[in-house]
Amino acid sequence: MNLPLRTLGVAPNAWTVNDAIADITRPQKTPQPVILSTETKTLRLDLAKAAILVIDMQNDFCHPDGWLAHIGVDVTPARQPIEPLNNLLPELREAGVPVIWLNWGNRPDLLNISASSRHVYNPTGGGVGLGDPLPSNGARVLMAGSWAAAVVDELEELPEDIRVEKYRMSGFWDTPLDSILRNLGKTTLFFAGVNADQCVLTTLCDANFLGYDCILVKDCTATTSPEYCWLATLYNIKQCFGFVADSQAILTALQKGEE
C-alpha cells in the first residue's frame, strides 16, 4: 500500500515524506514572467521568485512624534513613500509577491548592540537613545514591540505579510532574513522604505553581495538626508548593485504580464 506523503518545509524548499520515502526534488513554483522597464535596462523577471522588502517605514523614522522628529529631523520626506506603497503593495500581494516588513526593533536588554552602534543614536550619552523612552509618549526608541518600532498607521501590515526585526542598518546582519528568502525561493528583491542612503542601501548592498537581484523602487523610497546622498544612492545602485524602477513601471508590468 502506498502511504500518503506529508510536506515538510515551505515551498519551494520543501520535502514530501512518509515512513519509507523522502522526496527531496523540491518542485518549483509555476513561473510568472513579466517585463519591467528600469532606468538602465528592460528586465525579464519571475514574480514567483520575487519579494518586496519595506524597510523602516515605522513610527520612529516616519511619525512626527517619533525619534527622528524628536532630535529635530524633518520627517516629511520619510512619509513620501506612503501613498505609492499603498498603491503598489495590494497589487503585489494579489500577484503572490510576499511583502516583508523589515523594521528596526531591538532586544529590550540591548545585549547584541555595540557601543559604537549606540553612539550613533546617542552621541553625548545624555540624550534619548536606543531603548530610552520618548518624551512625547514614553515609547522606547527602536524597541521591538513598542510603538516606536511599529509600522506607521497609514500603511497596512496584513497577517499574511512577513515581519523581520533588524538590529543594524542592514537587514541581513544577525537576522533570519536570508534564511526566510531562501526557504521561499526568492532571488529577486524589490526595495522600498527609508532612509534610502542608509538602511535601504546597506540592506540592498548586502543582498547584492549574497547574490540576490536587486531593484530599488524609486518613488517608494526616500531619505531625510541631503539631496546629494539621494543622488549618490541612485548612482551607486545603478552603477554597482542593481536596478532602479518606479512603482508605476511595476504596476504596468503586473497588468501586462509577459506579452
Side-chain angles (χ1 to χ4, degrees):
M1 180 182 295
N2 291 328
L3 297 174
L5 292 169
R6 297 181 176 88
T7 300
L8 290 180
V10 178
N13 191 25
W15 296 359
T16 52
V17 303
N18 61 27
D19 288 348
I21 296 172
D23 182 344
I24 63 173
T25 56
R26 294 180 174 88
Q28 295 298 305
K29 294 183 178 180
T30 303
Q32 297 174 254
V34 297
I35 302 299
L36 174 65
S37 296
T38 78
E39 294 188 3
T40 51
K41 284 191 173 183
T42 298
L43 304 182
R44 181 175 183 262
L45 63 90
D46 185 358
L47 290 177
K49 297 178 181 177
I52 184 168
L53 306 184
V54 185
I55 299 168
D56 288 348
M57 291 300 297
Q58 62 192 83
N59 288 318
D60 256 351
F61 297 131
C62 304
H63 194 283
D65 292 327
W67 178 78
L68 268 187
H70 167 75
I71 63 171
V73 175
D74 179 10
V75 298
T76 302
R79 299 180 60 79
Q80 291 174 355
I82 292 174
E83 183 176 352
L85 279 169
N86 275 329
N87 293 329
L88 179 62
L89 295 183
E91 299 301 323
L92 287 176
R93 291 188 186 102
E94 182 68 23
V97 176
V99 176
I100 301 178
W101 300 93
L102 191 57
N103 282 17
W104 198 308
N106 292 317
R107 295 167 52 102
D109 57 17
L110 299 177
L111 281 176
N112 62 331
I113 307 299
S114 68
S116 60
S117 294
R118 296 181 71 163
H119 177 261
V120 173
Y121 295 89
N122 192 358
T124 68
V128 176
L130 297 181
D132 296 327
L134 288 166
S136 61
N137 56 22
R140 297 181 69 187
V141 172
L142 297 180
M143 191 64 62
S146 74
W147 174 88
V151 173
V152 292
D153 287 343
E154 294 87 349
L155 291 170
E156 188 175 14
E157 183 179 2
L158 298 184
E160 64 265 30
D161 295 345
I162 300 166
R163 185 184 181 93
V164 177
E165 307 289 356
K166 69 183 181 69
Y167 324 105
R168 302 289 191 276
M169 287 193 179
S170 171
F172 283 97
W173 188 261
D174 197 25
T175 78
L177 179 60
D178 185 50
S179 295
I180 290 170
L181 292 169
R182 293 186 189 281
N183 271 332
L184 293 172
K186 305 305 178 184
T187 56
T188 297
L189 304 179
F190 296 107
F191 289 82
V194 295
N195 275 318
D197 54 316
Q198 297 171 2
C199 293
V200 177
L201 179 61
T202 53
T203 303
L204 188 150
C205 287
D206 276 351
N208 172 269
F209 300 154
L210 289 165
Y212 292 95
D213 313 317
C214 302
I215 304 167
L216 184 79
V217 189
K218 189 174 181 179
D219 57 331
C220 292
T221 312
T223 184
T224 56
S225 301
E227 178 73 6
Y228 59 80
C229 297
W230 169 248
L231 295 176
T233 298
L234 297 176
Y235 174 84
N236 281 312
I237 291 173
K238 289 187 284 188
Q239 182 75 11
C240 303
F241 304 121
F243 304 92
V244 175
D246 60 31
S247 62
Q248 187 53 57
I250 298 172
L251 290 171
T252 299
L254 293 174
Q255 181 181 11
K256 291 184 176 181
E258 185 181 38
E259 295 180 342

mmCIF file of all heavy atoms in Angstrom, residues 4 47 54 66 70 81 91 106 126 190 213 233:
data_model
loop_
_atom_site.group_PDB
_atom_site.id
_atom_site.type_symbol
_atom_site.label_atom_id
_atom_site.label_comp_id
_atom_site.label_asym_id
_atom_site.label_seq_id
_atom_site.Cartn_x
_atom_site.Cartn_y
_atom_site.Cartn_z
ATOM 1 N N PRO A 4 0.484 7.853 2.273
ATOM 2 C CA PRO A 4 0.426 9.260 1.855
ATOM 3 C C PRO A 4 1.699 9.996 2.232
ATOM 4 O O PRO A 4 2.370 9.676 3.217
ATOM 5 C CB PRO A 4 -0.780 9.802 2.643
ATOM 6 C CG PRO A 4 -0.924 8.884 3.810
ATOM 7 C CD PRO A 4 -0.500 7.532 3.324
ATOM 8 N N LEU A 47 7.983 36.762 -11.177
ATOM 9 C CA LEU A 47 7.324 37.183 -9.941
ATOM 10 C C LEU A 47 7.257 36.065 -8.916
ATOM 11 O O LEU A 47 7.199 36.318 -7.707
ATOM 12 C CB LEU A 47 5.912 37.686 -10.242
ATOM 13 C CG LEU A 47 5.794 39.008 -11.001
ATOM 14 C CD1 LEU A 47 4.335 39.310 -11.278
ATOM 15 C CD2 LEU A 47 6.435 40.148 -10.217
ATOM 16 N N VAL A 54 10.103 46.175 2.626
ATOM 17 C CA VAL A 54 9.719 47.530 3.012
ATOM 18 C C VAL A 54 10.464 47.835 4.301
ATOM 19 O O VAL A 54 10.189 47.248 5.356
ATOM 20 C CB VAL A 54 8.202 47.659 3.206
ATOM 21 C CG1 VAL A 54 7.833 49.117 3.478
ATOM 22 C CG2 VAL A 54 7.454 47.149 1.979
ATOM 23 N N GLY A 66 7.964 60.561 16.493
ATOM 24 C CA GLY A 66 8.986 59.533 16.606
ATOM 25 C C GLY A 66 10.355 60.087 16.960
ATOM 26 O O GLY A 66 10.542 61.294 17.157
ATOM 27 N N HIS A 70 12.061 63.842 17.136
ATOM 28 C CA HIS A 70 12.485 64.302 18.469
ATOM 29 C C HIS A 70 13.857 64.968 18.418
ATOM 30 O O HIS A 70 14.103 65.945 19.139
ATOM 31 C CB HIS A 70 12.505 63.129 19.448
ATOM 32 C CG HIS A 70 13.210 63.443 20.737
ATOM 33 N ND1 HIS A 70 12.641 64.229 21.715
ATOM 34 C CD2 HIS A 70 14.462 63.108 21.191
ATOM 35 C CE1 HIS A 70 13.490 64.352 22.728
ATOM 36 N NE2 HIS A 70 14.599 63.686 22.424
ATOM 37 N N PRO A 81 6.931 57.939 0.716
ATOM 38 C CA PRO A 81 6.647 56.619 0.136
ATOM 39 C C PRO A 81 5.287 56.043 0.513
ATOM 40 O O PRO A 81 4.863 55.039 -0.080
ATOM 41 C CB PRO A 81 7.772 55.730 0.706
ATOM 42 C CG PRO A 81 8.862 56.666 1.087
ATOM 43 C CD PRO A 81 8.160 57.898 1.549
ATOM 44 N N GLU A 91 -1.339 45.249 -5.041
ATOM 45 C CA GLU A 91 -1.195 44.598 -6.350
ATOM 46 C C GLU A 91 -0.108 43.518 -6.294
ATOM 47 O O GLU A 91 -0.252 42.464 -6.925
ATOM 48 C CB GLU A 91 -0.861 45.641 -7.413
ATOM 49 C CG GLU A 91 -1.918 46.714 -7.586
ATOM 50 C CD GLU A 91 -3.275 46.138 -7.973
ATOM 51 O OE1 GLU A 91 -3.307 45.159 -8.747
ATOM 52 O OE2 GLU A 91 -4.293 46.671 -7.491
ATOM 53 N N ASN A 106 14.916 46.463 18.499
ATOM 54 C CA ASN A 106 15.961 45.874 19.331
ATOM 55 C C ASN A 106 15.420 44.998 20.457
ATOM 56 O O ASN A 106 14.253 45.112 20.850
ATOM 57 C CB ASN A 106 16.814 46.980 19.961
ATOM 58 C CG ASN A 106 17.643 47.720 18.945
ATOM 59 O OD1 ASN A 106 18.239 47.121 18.054
ATOM 60 N ND2 ASN A 106 17.679 49.046 19.056
ATOM 61 N N GLY A 126 23.906 61.456 26.890
ATOM 62 C CA GLY A 126 22.918 62.072 27.780
ATOM 63 C C GLY A 126 21.582 62.330 27.124
ATOM 64 O O GLY A 126 20.671 62.867 27.757
ATOM 65 N N PHE A 190 12.618 43.539 -4.533
ATOM 66 C CA PHE A 190 12.293 44.957 -4.641
ATOM 67 C C PHE A 190 12.586 45.609 -3.289
ATOM 68 O O PHE A 190 12.316 45.026 -2.229
ATOM 69 C CB PHE A 190 10.818 45.155 -4.989
ATOM 70 C CG PHE A 190 10.425 44.617 -6.333
ATOM 71 C CD1 PHE A 190 9.666 43.454 -6.428
ATOM 72 C CD2 PHE A 190 10.789 45.261 -7.500
ATOM 73 C CE1 PHE A 190 9.288 42.950 -7.661
ATOM 74 C CE2 PHE A 190 10.415 44.761 -8.738
ATOM 75 C CZ PHE A 190 9.665 43.608 -8.820
ATOM 76 N N ASP A 213 19.073 39.484 -6.869
ATOM 77 C CA ASP A 213 18.845 40.516 -7.877
ATOM 78 C C ASP A 213 18.105 41.660 -7.196
ATOM 79 O O ASP A 213 17.060 41.439 -6.576
ATOM 80 C CB ASP A 213 18.001 39.968 -9.025
ATOM 81 C CG ASP A 213 18.503 38.613 -9.510
ATOM 82 O OD1 ASP A 213 19.727 38.459 -9.633
ATOM 83 O OD2 ASP A 213 17.660 37.729 -9.744
ATOM 84 N N THR A 233 23.102 57.619 -3.885
ATOM 85 C CA THR A 233 22.485 56.299 -3.714
ATOM 86 C C THR A 233 21.981 55.766 -5.045
ATOM 87 O O THR A 233 22.251 54.612 -5.417
ATOM 88 C CB THR A 233 21.332 56.376 -2.702
ATOM 89 O OG1 THR A 233 21.850 56.779 -1.425
ATOM 90 C CG2 THR A 233 20.625 55.035 -2.561
#
